[in-house]
């Protein structure tokens, strides 16, 4: 039985791995390059977040949350070149037996199925944990690119909920996509 997720997952073209302090500069640079794309949907994508110092602090906290079993934060890296492409996380904030996936992608990797591949792997990793029965993806109803990923991967639209908008392009209507563990242990 698995109680903690792997800290290193390899796909055909990606390495999805636990972040380290060595990732701070690459993450900060990606946020800096992509602020105009990210900020309308992710209120945290500020100028401060694009600093190496802020990312070093965040990665340290993320490591503490990983060790406490609260959140599992991964870097998405091109397997062949080592280029940082984005982030994906499992959050234990949706109640017992569930995890919520969160993700963002560098614009240079957009449109190539990178995030779909990463979400599929992290979903499978989550559903392989003995304490997880369901995986959810929450995204604003207007975020077409983010909503396309759970749809593409066979998640069902479970419900929509009104929420306070926290970023400029959000409508305040959050769509919640769900995939449950099957009796065989995975989706």
């Amino acid at each position: 039985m698995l109680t903690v997720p792997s800290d290193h997952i390899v796909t055909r073209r990606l390495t999805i791995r636990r972040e380290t302090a060595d990732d701070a500069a690459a993450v900060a640079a990606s946020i800096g390059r992509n602020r105009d794309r990210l900020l309308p949907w992710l209120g945290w994508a500020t100028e401060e977040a694009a600093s190496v110092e802020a990312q070093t602090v965040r990665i340290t906290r993320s490591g503490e949350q990983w060790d406490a079993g609260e959140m599992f934060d991964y870097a998405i890296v091109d397997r062949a070149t080592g280029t940082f492409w984005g982030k994906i996380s499992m959050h234990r904030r949706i109640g017992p037996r569930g995890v919520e996936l969160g993700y963002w992608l560098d614009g240079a990797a957009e449109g190539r199925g990178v995030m779909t591949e990463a979400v599929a792997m992290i979903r499978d990793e989550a559903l392989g944990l003995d304490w997880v029965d369901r995986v959810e993806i929450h995204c604003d109803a207007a975020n077409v690119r983010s909503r396309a990923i759970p749809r593409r991967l066979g998640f069902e639209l479970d419900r929509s909920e009104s929420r306070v908008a926290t970023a400029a392009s959000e409508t305040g209507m959050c769509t919640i996509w769900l995939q449950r563990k099957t009796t065989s242990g995975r989706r």
Side-chain angles (χ1 to χ4, degrees):
M1 299 303 271
L2 289 175
T3 58
V4 295
S6 301
D7 60 5
H8 190 92
I9 301 163
V10 177
T11 73
R12 178 178 56 81
R13 63 184 172 159
L14 304 176
T15 299
I16 305 166
R17 60 171 173 71
R18 184 176 176 173
E19 286 184 296
T20 70
D22 293 339
D23 294 316
V27 175
S30 182
I31 293 169
R33 279 191 310 275
N34 290 276
R35 277 190 62 233
D36 290 344
R37 290 179 52 258
L38 297 174
L39 194 54
W41 304 109
L42 302 168
W44 56 258
T46 62
E47 187 173 331
E48 180 185 349
S51 75
V52 174
E53 297 78 18
Q55 289 308 309
T56 300
V57 169
R58 185 199 54 75
I59 289 169
T60 298
R61 286 188 191 132
S62 173
E64 293 166 357
Q65 290 174 311
W66 185 297
D67 293 339
E70 298 166 2
M71 180 183 69
F72 306 99
D73 213 3
Y74 294 90
I76 303 168
V77 178
D78 180 277
R79 186 173 164 195
T81 67
T83 302
F84 174 84
W85 277 353
K87 294 193 30 55
I88 188 166
S89 303
M90 286 187 224
H91 300 271
R92 293 188 71 180
R93 60 186 174 205
I94 60 169
R97 314 254 348 132
V99 295
E100 177 188 345
L101 303 185
Y103 45 84
W104 64 269
L105 188 64
D106 191 292
E110 208 168 69
R112 297 190 282 174
V114 169
M115 192 53 75
T116 300
E117 186 175 330
V119 170
M121 292 307 296
I122 294 300
R123 172 208 55 206
D124 291 351
E125 185 72 18
L127 291 172
L129 298 170
D130 64 346
W131 51 270
V132 174
D133 286 341
R134 74 187 191 289
V135 174
E136 295 181 6
I137 295 175
H138 298 200
C139 55
D140 192 85
N143 192 336
V144 174
R145 292 191 79 90
S146 195
R147 278 191 359 241
I149 292 169
R151 181 177 292 125
R152 199 175 296 128
L153 292 173
F155 282 71
E156 67 180 62
L157 178 57
D158 185 58
R159 63 194 183 279
S160 296
E161 295 178 352
S162 182
R163 295 201 180 155
V164 173
T166 59
S169 292
E170 288 184 339
T171 63
M173 185 54 62
C174 180
T175 58
I176 298 164
W177 300 83
L178 173 68
Q179 200 155 86
R180 293 191 182 278
K181 186 180 287 186
T182 65
T183 55
S184 66
R186 300 235 174 180
R187 63 174 187 90

